[in-house]
Amino acid sequence: MTDEGIDAQRGARARAALAAALKARLRTEPLDKVTVTELTRDCGLTRQAFYYHFSDVRQLAVWVFETEVARQVRAFAIETGWADGLVRLMLYLRNNRASTLGVLDGVGRPGLERFLFRQMRPITEAVMEQDGGGPVRPEDRVLVVDFYTSAVLAIVLRWVADGMVEHPYRVVGDLEIMLHGAVRESVRRLDARAAPPRGRRPR
């Protein structure tokens, strides 16, 4: 193995150790109380090693959250469909409540919303594809995906704010009922608007 490969492995192990230490700390204390000194002591690394990878504890928290959520949700959604992908996302948020709330406290609702929007957008695209495909015009396709992603995200964020009590299967089941046919009807109307009037040729 090359020196670069060895360094990459060491870096991955260090980040994983710091991530585990942070998640353990967040089970008993809020993010703003966790210190670099505590984390490095917990996992046997130096402060220099921490700052080589992260500028502060908040950046580590965001990295852990984004890395784990993105990896799990994308893989699961590709394999089993949009509904199971969304359930997987919500189960992760609930099973890692301390990390979720810690990141929410650290980056705020706007930061969490932007991240979740990026993760959920491919799920919404899958909804559209499963419901007959998207609009003809690319700009209409973006409109449909962004609109329904924002709608679903609002439900998820409200669920988080309410304490993540209701089971994700119930929440996603309700969303399936509301979305069934709605996306297809939106696509139909947008395509009808984009089509030239009868008897006239498009310029």
Side-chain angles (χ1 to χ4, degrees):
M1 182 179 292
T2 64
D3 291 342
E4 290 80 3
I6 294 173
D7 289 341
Q9 282 191 349
R10 287 175 178 169
R13 286 196 297 268
R15 289 189 294 270
L18 289 167
L22 175 64
K23 291 173 69 175
R25 283 278 172 181
L26 288 176
R27 295 189 188 103
T28 58
E29 56 189 295
L31 181 66
D32 60 358
K33 298 298 183 182
V34 180
T35 67
V36 174
T37 299
E38 290 173 337
L39 293 178
T40 53
R41 184 176 64 237
D42 290 347
C43 63
L45 293 173
T46 64
R47 290 174 60 87
Q48 181 181 4
F50 178 94
Y51 287 115
Y52 180 81
H53 297 286
F54 304 103
S55 60
D56 54 27
V57 174
R58 189 178 77 168
Q59 187 184 57
L60 167 62
V62 173
W63 178 84
V64 171
F65 186 82
E66 293 187 353
T67 301
E68 293 192 357
V69 169
R71 181 174 61 246
Q72 294 189 40
V73 173
R74 287 173 183 168
F76 202 86
I78 290 171
E79 292 175 0
T80 61
W82 76 267
D84 287 324
L86 185 55
V87 168
R88 179 66 170 256
L89 167 62
M90 296 174 72
L91 284 173
Y92 176 86
L93 297 180
R94 191 169 73 167
N95 293 338
N96 295 272
R97 186 186 305 268
S99 297
T100 300
L101 297 180
V103 170
L104 181 58
D105 290 341
V107 304
R109 182 185 171 108
L112 181 63
E113 185 172 348
R114 284 192 298 271
F115 169 70
L116 291 179
F117 185 91
R118 292 197 304 270
Q119 301 310 311
M120 292 171 61
R121 202 174 186 281
I123 295 176
T124 309
E125 287 186 301
V127 174
M128 188 170 62
E129 292 300 332
Q130 292 176 14
D131 207 14
V136 173
R137 299 198 314 167
E139 56 267 39
D140 287 340
R141 183 183 182 89
V142 171
L143 176 62
V144 169
V145 172
D146 286 353
F147 175 82
Y148 284 102
T149 299
S150 297
V152 173
L153 178 58
I155 299 297
V156 173
L157 288 174
R158 188 181 68 184
W159 174 78
V160 171
D162 289 344
M164 297 177 273
V165 176
E166 191 169 6
H167 198 283
Y169 283 111
R170 174 66 181 274
V171 177
V172 174
D174 290 344
L175 284 171
E176 283 189 287
I177 292 172
M178 290 186 290
L179 290 175
H180 181 70
V183 176
R184 184 181 303 174
E185 178 62 16
S186 297
V187 170
R188 186 191 68 77
R189 292 186 179 191
L190 288 169
D191 281 345
R193 182 191 67 179
R198 292 183 179 179
R200 293 181 57 184
R201 297 180 178 178
R203 295 181 177 180

Short mmCIF file of all heavy atoms in Angstrom, two decimals, residues 27-89:
data_model
loop_
_atom_site.label_atom_id
_atom_site.label_comp_id
_atom_site.label_asym_id
_atom_site.label_seq_id
_atom_site.Cartn_x
_atom_site.Cartn_y
_atom_site.Cartn_z
N ARG A 27 -25.31 11.45 24.14
CA ARG A 27 -26.37 10.71 24.85
C ARG A 27 -26.61 11.30 26.24
O ARG A 27 -27.67 11.09 26.83
CB ARG A 27 -25.99 9.24 24.98
CG ARG A 27 -25.89 8.51 23.65
CD ARG A 27 -25.74 7.00 23.86
NE ARG A 27 -25.46 6.33 22.60
CZ ARG A 27 -24.27 5.89 22.23
NH1 ARG A 27 -23.23 6.02 23.04
NH2 ARG A 27 -24.09 5.30 21.06
N THR A 28 -25.63 12.04 26.76
CA THR A 28 -25.75 12.55 28.13
C THR A 28 -25.57 14.06 28.25
O THR A 28 -25.84 14.61 29.31
CB THR A 28 -24.71 11.87 29.04
OG1 THR A 28 -23.38 12.12 28.53
CG2 THR A 28 -24.95 10.37 29.10
N GLU A 29 -25.14 14.74 27.19
CA GLU A 29 -24.94 16.17 27.29
C GLU A 29 -25.20 16.85 25.95
O GLU A 29 -25.06 16.23 24.89
CB GLU A 29 -23.52 16.49 27.77
CG GLU A 29 -22.41 15.89 26.94
CD GLU A 29 -21.04 16.07 27.60
OE1 GLU A 29 -20.59 17.22 27.74
OE2 GLU A 29 -20.44 15.05 27.98
N PRO A 30 -25.59 18.13 25.97
CA PRO A 30 -25.87 18.85 24.72
C PRO A 30 -24.60 19.14 23.94
O PRO A 30 -23.49 19.14 24.50
CB PRO A 30 -26.53 20.15 25.20
CG PRO A 30 -26.03 20.33 26.59
CD PRO A 30 -25.86 18.95 27.15
N LEU A 31 -24.77 19.39 22.66
CA LEU A 31 -23.62 19.59 21.78
C LEU A 31 -22.74 20.74 22.24
O LEU A 31 -21.51 20.65 22.19
CB LEU A 31 -24.12 19.85 20.35
CG LEU A 31 -23.04 20.06 19.28
CD1 LEU A 31 -22.23 18.79 19.07
CD2 LEU A 31 -23.67 20.49 17.96
N ASP A 32 -23.34 21.83 22.70
CA ASP A 32 -22.53 23.00 23.06
C ASP A 32 -21.71 22.81 24.33
O ASP A 32 -20.88 23.65 24.69
CB ASP A 32 -23.41 24.25 23.18
CG ASP A 32 -24.48 24.11 24.24
OD1 ASP A 32 -24.59 23.04 24.86
OD2 ASP A 32 -25.23 25.10 24.45
N LYS A 33 -21.93 21.68 25.02
CA LYS A 33 -21.14 21.39 26.22
C LYS A 33 -20.00 20.41 25.94
O LYS A 33 -19.14 20.21 26.80
CB LYS A 33 -22.04 20.80 27.31
CG LYS A 33 -23.14 21.73 27.78
CD LYS A 33 -22.59 22.99 28.41
CE LYS A 33 -23.70 23.87 28.94
NZ LYS A 33 -23.17 25.14 29.53
N VAL A 34 -20.00 19.80 24.77
CA VAL A 34 -18.96 18.84 24.42
C VAL A 34 -17.70 19.59 24.01
O VAL A 34 -17.76 20.54 23.22
CB VAL A 34 -19.42 17.91 23.27
CG1 VAL A 34 -18.32 16.91 22.91
CG2 VAL A 34 -20.69 17.17 23.66
N THR A 35 -16.55 19.16 24.51
CA THR A 35 -15.29 19.83 24.20
C THR A 35 -14.35 18.92 23.41
O THR A 35 -14.48 17.68 23.45
CB THR A 35 -14.57 20.27 25.49
OG1 THR A 35 -14.14 19.10 26.21
CG2 THR A 35 -15.47 21.11 26.36
N VAL A 36 -13.43 19.55 22.71
CA VAL A 36 -12.42 18.80 21.97
C VAL A 36 -11.58 17.96 22.92
O VAL A 36 -11.24 16.81 22.62
CB VAL A 36 -11.53 19.76 21.15
CG1 VAL A 36 -10.38 19.00 20.49
CG2 VAL A 36 -12.35 20.50 20.11
N THR A 37 -11.25 18.52 24.07
CA THR A 37 -10.44 17.79 25.05
C THR A 37 -11.12 16.49 25.47
O THR A 37 -10.48 15.43 25.55
CB THR A 37 -10.20 18.68 26.28
OG1 THR A 37 -9.48 19.86 25.88
CG2 THR A 37 -9.38 17.93 27.33
N GLU A 38 -12.43 16.57 25.74
CA GLU A 38 -13.17 15.37 26.15
C GLU A 38 -13.17 14.32 25.04
O GLU A 38 -12.93 13.13 25.29
CB GLU A 38 -14.61 15.73 26.49
CG GLU A 38 -14.76 16.54 27.76
CD GLU A 38 -16.18 17.02 27.96
OE1 GLU A 38 -16.92 17.12 26.96
OE2 GLU A 38 -16.55 17.29 29.11
N LEU A 39 -13.42 14.75 23.83
CA LEU A 39 -13.51 13.81 22.71
C LEU A 39 -12.18 13.12 22.46
O LEU A 39 -12.12 11.91 22.25
CB LEU A 39 -13.99 14.52 21.45
CG LEU A 39 -15.41 15.06 21.47
CD1 LEU A 39 -15.73 15.79 20.17
CD2 LEU A 39 -16.41 13.93 21.69
N THR A 40 -11.11 13.90 22.44
CA THR A 40 -9.80 13.29 22.16
C THR A 40 -9.38 12.37 23.29
O THR A 40 -8.76 11.32 23.05
CB THR A 40 -8.74 14.38 21.94
OG1 THR A 40 -8.75 15.31 23.05
CG2 THR A 40 -9.02 15.15 20.65
N ARG A 41 -9.72 12.72 24.53
CA ARG A 41 -9.41 11.83 25.65
C ARG A 41 -10.22 10.54 25.55
O ARG A 41 -9.71 9.45 25.80
CB ARG A 41 -9.71 12.54 26.96
CG ARG A 41 -9.33 11.70 28.21
CD ARG A 41 -9.56 12.45 29.49
NE ARG A 41 -10.97 12.76 29.68
CZ ARG A 41 -11.45 13.98 29.85
NH1 ARG A 41 -10.64 15.03 29.85
NH2 ARG A 41 -12.74 14.18 30.04
N ASP A 42 -11.49 10.66 25.14
CA ASP A 42 -12.36 9.49 25.06
C ASP A 42 -11.88 8.47 24.03
O ASP A 42 -12.04 7.25 24.23
CB ASP A 42 -13.79 9.91 24.71
CG ASP A 42 -14.47 10.65 25.85
OD1 ASP A 42 -13.95 10.62 26.98
OD2 ASP A 42 -15.53 11.27 25.59
N CYS A 43 -11.30 8.97 22.93
CA CYS A 43 -10.92 8.03 21.87
C CYS A 43 -9.40 7.88 21.71
O CYS A 43 -8.94 7.21 20.78
CB CYS A 43 -11.54 8.45 20.54
SG CYS A 43 -11.00 10.04 19.92
N GLY A 44 -8.64 8.50 22.60
CA GLY A 44 -7.20 8.30 22.59
C GLY A 44 -6.45 9.01 21.48
O GLY A 44 -5.37 8.57 21.09
N LEU A 45 -6.99 10.12 20.99
CA LEU A 45 -6.31 10.91 19.96
C LEU A 45 -5.81 12.22 20.56
O LEU A 45 -6.21 12.61 21.66
CB LEU A 45 -7.27 11.22 18.80
CG LEU A 45 -7.72 10.02 17.96
CD1 LEU A 45 -8.79 10.45 16.96
CD2 LEU A 45 -6.55 9.38 17.24
N THR A 46 -4.96 12.89 19.83
CA THR A 46 -4.45 14.18 20.29
C THR A 46 -5.34 15.30 19.76
O THR A 46 -6.09 15.13 18.80
CB THR A 46 -3.02 14.41 19.78
OG1 THR A 46 -3.04 14.49 18.34
CG2 THR A 46 -2.09 13.28 20.21
N ARG A 47 -5.24 16.46 20.40
CA ARG A 47 -5.97 17.64 19.91
C ARG A 47 -5.52 17.99 18.49
O ARG A 47 -6.32 18.43 17.66
CB ARG A 47 -5.76 18.82 20.85
CG ARG A 47 -6.45 18.66 22.20
CD ARG A 47 -6.08 19.81 23.13
NE ARG A 47 -6.49 21.10 22.59
CZ ARG A 47 -7.70 21.63 22.77
NH1 ARG A 47 -8.62 20.98 23.47
NH2 ARG A 47 -7.97 22.83 22.28
N GLN A 48 -4.23 17.79 18.23
CA GLN A 48 -3.71 18.07 16.89
C GLN A 48 -4.41 17.20 15.86
O GLN A 48 -4.75 17.66 14.76
CB GLN A 48 -2.21 17.84 16.86
CG GLN A 48 -1.58 18.14 15.50
CD GLN A 48 -0.08 17.87 15.50
OE1 GLN A 48 0.48 17.40 16.48
NE2 GLN A 48 0.57 18.18 14.38
N ALA A 49 -4.64 15.93 16.21
CA ALA A 49 -5.32 15.02 15.29
C ALA A 49 -6.74 15.49 15.03
O ALA A 49 -7.24 15.43 13.89
CB ALA A 49 -5.33 13.60 15.85
N PHE A 50 -7.41 15.97 16.08
CA PHE A 50 -8.78 16.48 15.89
C PHE A 50 -8.79 17.65 14.92
O PHE A 50 -9.57 17.67 13.95
CB PHE A 50 -9.39 16.92 17.24
CG PHE A 50 -10.77 17.49 17.10
CD1 PHE A 50 -11.88 16.68 17.28
CD2 PHE A 50 -10.96 18.83 16.78
CE1 PHE A 50 -13.15 17.19 17.14
CE2 PHE A 50 -12.23 19.36 16.63
CZ PHE A 50 -13.33 18.54 16.80
N TYR A 51 -7.93 18.63 15.17
CA TYR A 51 -7.95 19.84 14.35
C TYR A 51 -7.40 19.61 12.94
O TYR A 51 -7.59 20.46 12.06
CB TYR A 51 -7.18 20.96 15.05
CG TYR A 51 -7.93 21.51 16.24
CD1 TYR A 51 -7.43 21.36 17.54
CD2 TYR A 51 -9.15 22.17 16.06
CE1 TYR A 51 -8.13 21.86 18.63
CE2 TYR A 51 -9.85 22.67 17.16
CZ TYR A 51 -9.34 22.51 18.43
OH TYR A 51 -10.04 23.00 19.50
N TYR A 52 -6.76 18.49 12.74
CA TYR A 52 -6.34 18.14 11.38
C TYR A 52 -7.57 17.84 10.51
O TYR A 52 -7.58 18.10 9.31
CB TYR A 52 -5.41 16.94 11.41
CG TYR A 52 -4.93 16.51 10.04
CD1 TYR A 52 -3.87 17.17 9.41
CD2 TYR A 52 -5.54 15.45 9.36
CE1 TYR A 52 -3.43 16.78 8.15
CE2 TYR A 52 -5.11 15.06 8.10
CZ TYR A 52 -4.06 15.72 7.50
OH TYR A 52 -3.64 15.34 6.26
N HIS A 53 -8.62 17.29 11.14
CA HIS A 53 -9.81 16.88 10.40
C HIS A 53 -10.98 17.86 10.53
O HIS A 53 -11.76 18.01 9.59
CB HIS A 53 -10.27 15.49 10.87
CG HIS A 53 -9.26 14.41 10.62
ND1 HIS A 53 -9.02 13.90 9.36
CD2 HIS A 53 -8.43 13.76 11.47
CE1 HIS A 53 -8.08 12.97 9.45
NE2 HIS A 53 -7.70 12.86 10.71
N PHE A 54 -11.11 18.49 11.68
CA PHE A 54 -12.28 19.35 11.93
C PHE A 54 -11.86 20.64 12.62
O PHE A 54 -10.93 20.64 13.43
CB PHE A 54 -13.31 18.61 12.80
CG PHE A 54 -13.75 17.29 12.22
CD1 PHE A 54 -13.24 16.09 12.73
CD2 PHE A 54 -14.64 17.24 11.16
CE1 PHE A 54 -13.63 14.87 12.19
CE2 PHE A 54 -15.03 16.02 10.61
CZ PHE A 54 -14.53 14.84 11.13
N SER A 55 -12.59 21.70 12.32
CA SER A 55 -12.25 22.99 12.92
C SER A 55 -12.83 23.14 14.32
O SER A 55 -12.28 23.86 15.15
CB SER A 55 -12.76 24.13 12.03
OG SER A 55 -14.18 24.06 11.88
N ASP A 56 -13.95 22.46 14.58
CA ASP A 56 -14.55 22.51 15.91
C ASP A 56 -15.51 21.33 16.08
O ASP A 56 -15.71 20.54 15.15
CB ASP A 56 -15.27 23.85 16.16
CG ASP A 56 -16.30 24.17 15.07
OD1 ASP A 56 -16.84 23.24 14.44
OD2 ASP A 56 -16.57 25.37 14.86
N VAL A 57 -16.10 21.23 17.25
CA VAL A 57 -17.00 20.11 17.54
C VAL A 57 -18.24 20.16 16.68
O VAL A 57 -18.76 19.13 16.24
CB VAL A 57 -17.37 20.11 19.04
CG1 VAL A 57 -18.42 19.04 19.34
CG2 VAL A 57 -16.14 19.89 19.91
N ARG A 58 -18.74 21.35 16.42
CA ARG A 58 -19.96 21.47 15.60
C ARG A 58 -19.72 20.93 14.20
O ARG A 58 -20.58 20.26 13.63
CB ARG A 58 -20.43 22.93 15.53
CG ARG A 58 -21.81 23.05 14.88
CD ARG A 58 -22.29 24.47 14.86
NE ARG A 58 -21.64 25.24 13.81
CZ ARG A 58 -22.04 26.46 13.41
NH1 ARG A 58 -23.06 27.03 14.01
NH2 ARG A 58 -21.42 27.09 12.46
N GLN A 59 -18.57 21.22 13.62
CA GLN A 59 -18.28 20.69 12.28
C GLN A 59 -18.21 19.17 12.30
O GLN A 59 -18.68 18.51 11.36
CB GLN A 59 -16.96 21.26 11.77
CG GLN A 59 -16.69 20.89 10.31
CD GLN A 59 -15.33 21.36 9.82
OE1 GLN A 59 -14.31 21.03 10.40
NE2 GLN A 59 -15.34 22.15 8.76
N LEU A 60 -17.65 18.60 13.36
CA LEU A 60 -17.64 17.14 13.49
C LEU A 60 -19.06 16.61 13.57
O LEU A 60 -19.40 15.61 12.91
CB LEU A 60 -16.86 16.74 14.75
CG LEU A 60 -17.01 15.28 15.21
CD1 LEU A 60 -16.49 14.32 14.15
CD2 LEU A 60 -16.29 15.06 16.54
N ALA A 61 -19.93 17.25 14.35
CA ALA A 61 -21.31 16.80 14.50
C ALA A 61 -22.04 16.82 13.17
O ALA A 61 -22.76 15.87 12.82
CB ALA A 61 -22.04 17.67 15.52
N VAL A 62 -21.87 17.88 12.43
CA VAL A 62 -22.52 17.98 11.12
C VAL A 62 -21.99 16.91 10.17
O VAL A 62 -22.75 16.28 9.43
CB VAL A 62 -22.33 19.39 10.52
CG1 VAL A 62 -22.85 19.44 9.09
CG2 VAL A 62 -23.04 20.43 11.39
N TRP A 63 -20.68 16.68 10.20
CA TRP A 63 -20.09 15.66 9.33
C TRP A 63 -20.64 14.28 9.66
O TRP A 63 -21.00 13.51 8.75
CB TRP A 63 -18.57 15.66 9.48
CG TRP A 63 -17.89 14.62 8.66
CD1 TRP A 63 -17.54 14.70 7.34
CD2 TRP A 63 -17.49 13.30 9.09
NE1 TRP A 63 -16.96 13.52 6.92
CE2 TRP A 63 -16.91 12.65 7.97
CE3 TRP A 63 -17.56 12.63 10.30
CZ2 TRP A 63 -16.41 11.35 8.04
CZ3 TRP A 63 -17.07 11.33 10.37
CH2 TRP A 63 -16.50 10.71 9.25
N VAL A 64 -20.71 13.95 10.94
CA VAL A 64 -21.24 12.65 11.35
C VAL A 64 -22.68 12.49 10.87
O VAL A 64 -23.04 11.48 10.25
CB VAL A 64 -21.18 12.50 12.89
CG1 VAL A 64 -21.94 11.24 13.34
CG2 VAL A 64 -19.75 12.44 13.36
N PHE A 65 -23.49 13.47 11.14
CA PHE A 65 -24.90 13.42 10.80
C PHE A 65 -25.09 13.28 9.28
O PHE A 65 -25.80 12.40 8.81
CB PHE A 65 -25.58 14.68 11.30
CG PHE A 65 -27.08 14.68 11.13
CD1 PHE A 65 -27.88 14.05 12.06
CD2 PHE A 65 -27.67 15.33 10.08
CE1 PHE A 65 -29.26 14.05 11.93
CE2 PHE A 65 -29.04 15.33 9.93
CZ PHE A 65 -29.84 14.70 10.86
N GLU A 66 -24.42 14.14 8.54
CA GLU A 66 -24.60 14.14 7.09
C GLU A 66 -24.06 12.86 6.46
O GLU A 66 -24.69 12.29 5.56
CB GLU A 66 -23.93 15.37 6.48
CG GLU A 66 -24.61 16.67 6.85
CD GLU A 66 -24.05 17.86 6.10
OE1 GLU A 66 -23.04 17.69 5.37
OE2 GLU A 66 -24.61 18.96 6.22
N THR A 67 -22.92 12.40 6.92
CA THR A 67 -22.31 11.19 6.35
C THR A 67 -23.20 9.98 6.57
O THR A 67 -23.48 9.22 5.64
CB THR A 67 -20.92 10.93 6.94
OG1 THR A 67 -20.08 12.06 6.67
CG2 THR A 67 -20.30 9.69 6.34
N GLU A 68 -23.66 9.80 7.79
CA GLU A 68 -24.46 8.62 8.11
C GLU A 68 -25.83 8.67 7.46
O GLU A 68 -26.31 7.68 6.90
CB GLU A 68 -24.58 8.48 9.63
CG GLU A 68 -23.26 8.16 10.30
CD GLU A 68 -23.43 7.73 11.74
OE1 GLU A 68 -24.57 7.74 12.24
OE2 GLU A 68 -22.42 7.39 12.38
N VAL A 69 -26.48 9.81 7.50
CA VAL A 69 -27.81 9.93 6.90
C VAL A 69 -27.73 9.73 5.40
O VAL A 69 -28.50 8.97 4.80
CB VAL A 69 -28.45 11.30 7.22
CG1 VAL A 69 -29.69 11.53 6.37
CG2 VAL A 69 -28.82 11.38 8.69
N ALA A 70 -26.79 10.40 4.75
CA ALA A 70 -26.68 10.31 3.30
C ALA A 70 -26.40 8.88 2.86
O ALA A 70 -27.01 8.37 1.91
CB ALA A 70 -25.57 11.25 2.80
N ARG A 71 -25.48 8.22 3.53
CA ARG A 71 -25.12 6.86 3.14
C ARG A 71 -26.29 5.90 3.30
O ARG A 71 -26.60 5.12 2.40
CB ARG A 71 -23.94 6.39 3.98
CG ARG A 71 -23.48 4.97 3.61
CD ARG A 71 -22.23 4.57 4.36
NE ARG A 71 -22.42 4.56 5.79
CZ ARG A 71 -21.81 5.39 6.64
NH1 ARG A 71 -20.99 6.30 6.18
NH2 ARG A 71 -22.03 5.32 7.95
N GLN A 72 -26.96 5.95 4.41
CA GLN A 72 -28.04 5.01 4.67
C GLN A 72 -29.25 5.27 3.79
O GLN A 72 -29.82 4.36 3.19
CB GLN A 72 -28.45 5.08 6.15
CG GLN A 72 -27.35 4.59 7.09
CD GLN A 72 -27.85 4.46 8.51
OE1 GLN A 72 -28.96 4.01 8.74
NE2 GLN A 72 -27.03 4.85 9.46
N VAL A 73 -29.68 6.51 3.71
CA VAL A 73 -30.91 6.81 2.99
C VAL A 73 -30.76 6.57 1.50
O VAL A 73 -31.62 5.97 0.86
CB VAL A 73 -31.34 8.27 3.26
CG1 VAL A 73 -32.52 8.65 2.37
CG2 VAL A 73 -31.70 8.44 4.72
N ARG A 74 -29.66 7.02 0.92
CA ARG A 74 -29.50 6.84 -0.52
C ARG A 74 -29.44 5.37 -0.89
O ARG A 74 -30.09 4.94 -1.85
CB ARG A 74 -28.23 7.56 -0.98
CG ARG A 74 -28.39 9.07 -1.00
CD ARG A 74 -27.06 9.75 -1.29
NE ARG A 74 -27.20 11.20 -1.24
CZ ARG A 74 -26.17 12.04 -1.24
NH1 ARG A 74 -24.94 11.56 -1.29
NH2 ARG A 74 -26.37 13.34 -1.18
N ALA A 75 -28.70 4.59 -0.14
CA ALA A 75 -28.59 3.17 -0.46
C ALA A 75 -29.93 2.48 -0.31
O ALA A 75 -30.34 1.68 -1.16
CB ALA A 75 -27.56 2.51 0.46
N PHE A 76 -30.66 2.78 0.74
CA PHE A 76 -31.93 2.10 0.99
C PHE A 76 -32.98 2.52 -0.02
O PHE A 76 -33.77 1.72 -0.50
CB PHE A 76 -32.39 2.40 2.41
CG PHE A 76 -33.36 1.38 2.95
CD1 PHE A 76 -32.88 0.23 3.56
CD2 PHE A 76 -34.72 1.56 2.84
CE1 PHE A 76 -33.76 -0.72 4.07
CE2 PHE A 76 -35.60 0.62 3.34
CZ PHE A 76 -35.13 -0.52 3.96
N ALA A 77 -33.01 3.81 -0.36
CA ALA A 77 -34.02 4.30 -1.30
C ALA A 77 -33.82 3.69 -2.68
O ALA A 77 -34.78 3.36 -3.38
CB ALA A 77 -33.95 5.83 -1.39
N ILE A 78 -32.58 3.52 -3.10
CA ILE A 78 -32.30 2.93 -4.41
C ILE A 78 -32.77 1.48 -4.45
O ILE A 78 -33.32 1.02 -5.45
CB ILE A 78 -30.79 3.02 -4.71
CG1 ILE A 78 -30.39 4.49 -4.97
CG2 ILE A 78 -30.42 2.17 -5.93
CD1 ILE A 78 -28.91 4.69 -5.07
N GLU A 79 -32.58 0.77 -3.34
CA GLU A 79 -32.90 -0.66 -3.33
C GLU A 79 -34.39 -0.94 -3.21
O GLU A 79 -34.91 -1.87 -3.81
CB GLU A 79 -32.16 -1.34 -2.16
CG GLU A 79 -30.65 -1.37 -2.34
CD GLU A 79 -29.96 -1.94 -1.12
OE1 GLU A 79 -30.67 -2.30 -0.17
OE2 GLU A 79 -28.73 -2.02 -1.12
N THR A 80 -35.11 -0.15 -2.44
CA THR A 80 -36.48 -0.54 -2.11
C THR A 80 -37.55 0.50 -2.42
O THR A 80 -38.72 0.24 -2.18
CB THR A 80 -36.57 -0.88 -0.61
OG1 THR A 80 -36.23 0.29 0.15
CG2 THR A 80 -35.63 -2.01 -0.24
N GLY A 81 -37.21 1.65 -2.94
CA GLY A 81 -38.23 2.61 -3.30
C GLY A 81 -38.31 3.79 -2.33
O GLY A 81 -37.76 3.76 -1.23
N TRP A 82 -39.05 4.81 -2.75
CA TRP A 82 -39.03 6.08 -2.04
C TRP A 82 -39.63 5.99 -0.64
O TRP A 82 -39.12 6.59 0.29
CB TRP A 82 -39.76 7.14 -2.86
CG TRP A 82 -41.26 7.04 -2.83
CD1 TRP A 82 -42.05 6.37 -3.71
CD2 TRP A 82 -42.13 7.62 -1.86
NE1 TRP A 82 -43.36 6.50 -3.35
CE2 TRP A 82 -43.45 7.26 -2.22
CE3 TRP A 82 -41.94 8.41 -0.71
CZ2 TRP A 82 -44.57 7.66 -1.49
CZ3 TRP A 82 -43.05 8.80 0.02
CH2 TRP A 82 -44.35 8.44 -0.37
N ALA A 83 -40.73 5.26 -0.47
CA ALA A 83 -41.39 5.20 0.84
C ALA A 83 -40.47 4.57 1.88
O ALA A 83 -40.33 5.09 3.00
CB ALA A 83 -42.70 4.45 0.74
N ASP A 84 -39.84 3.46 1.53
CA ASP A 84 -38.93 2.81 2.47
C ASP A 84 -37.70 3.67 2.72
O ASP A 84 -37.14 3.65 3.82
CB ASP A 84 -38.52 1.43 1.96
CG ASP A 84 -39.64 0.41 2.06
OD1 ASP A 84 -40.41 0.48 3.04
OD2 ASP A 84 -39.77 -0.43 1.17
N GLY A 85 -37.28 4.41 1.70
CA GLY A 85 -36.16 5.32 1.89
C GLY A 85 -36.49 6.41 2.90
O GLY A 85 -35.66 6.76 3.75
N LEU A 86 -37.70 6.95 2.83
CA LEU A 86 -38.11 7.98 3.76
C LEU A 86 -38.29 7.42 5.17
O LEU A 86 -37.92 8.06 6.16
CB LEU A 86 -39.42 8.64 3.29
CG LEU A 86 -39.91 9.83 4.11
CD1 LEU A 86 -38.83 10.89 4.22
CD2 LEU A 86 -41.17 10.41 3.48
N VAL A 87 -38.85 6.22 5.27
CA VAL A 87 -38.96 5.56 6.58
C VAL A 87 -37.57 5.37 7.18
O VAL A 87 -37.35 5.60 8.37
CB VAL A 87 -39.70 4.21 6.46
CG1 VAL A 87 -39.54 3.40 7.75
CG2 VAL A 87 -41.17 4.43 6.15
N ARG A 88 -36.63 4.94 6.35
CA ARG A 88 -35.25 4.73 6.83
C ARG A 88 -34.67 6.03 7.37
O ARG A 88 -34.01 6.04 8.42
CB ARG A 88 -34.41 4.19 5.68
CG ARG A 88 -32.94 3.93 6.02
CD ARG A 88 -32.79 2.81 7.06
NE ARG A 88 -31.40 2.42 7.20
CZ ARG A 88 -30.87 1.32 6.70
NH1 ARG A 88 -31.62 0.47 6.02
NH2 ARG A 88 -29.60 1.03 6.88
N LEU A 89 -34.91 7.13 6.67
CA LEU A 89 -34.43 8.43 7.13
C LEU A 89 -35.02 8.77 8.50
O LEU A 89 -34.30 9.14 9.43
CB LEU A 89 -34.80 9.51 6.12
CG LEU A 89 -34.64 10.97 6.58
CD1 LEU A 89 -33.20 11.27 6.91
CD2 LEU A 89 -35.16 11.93 5.53
#
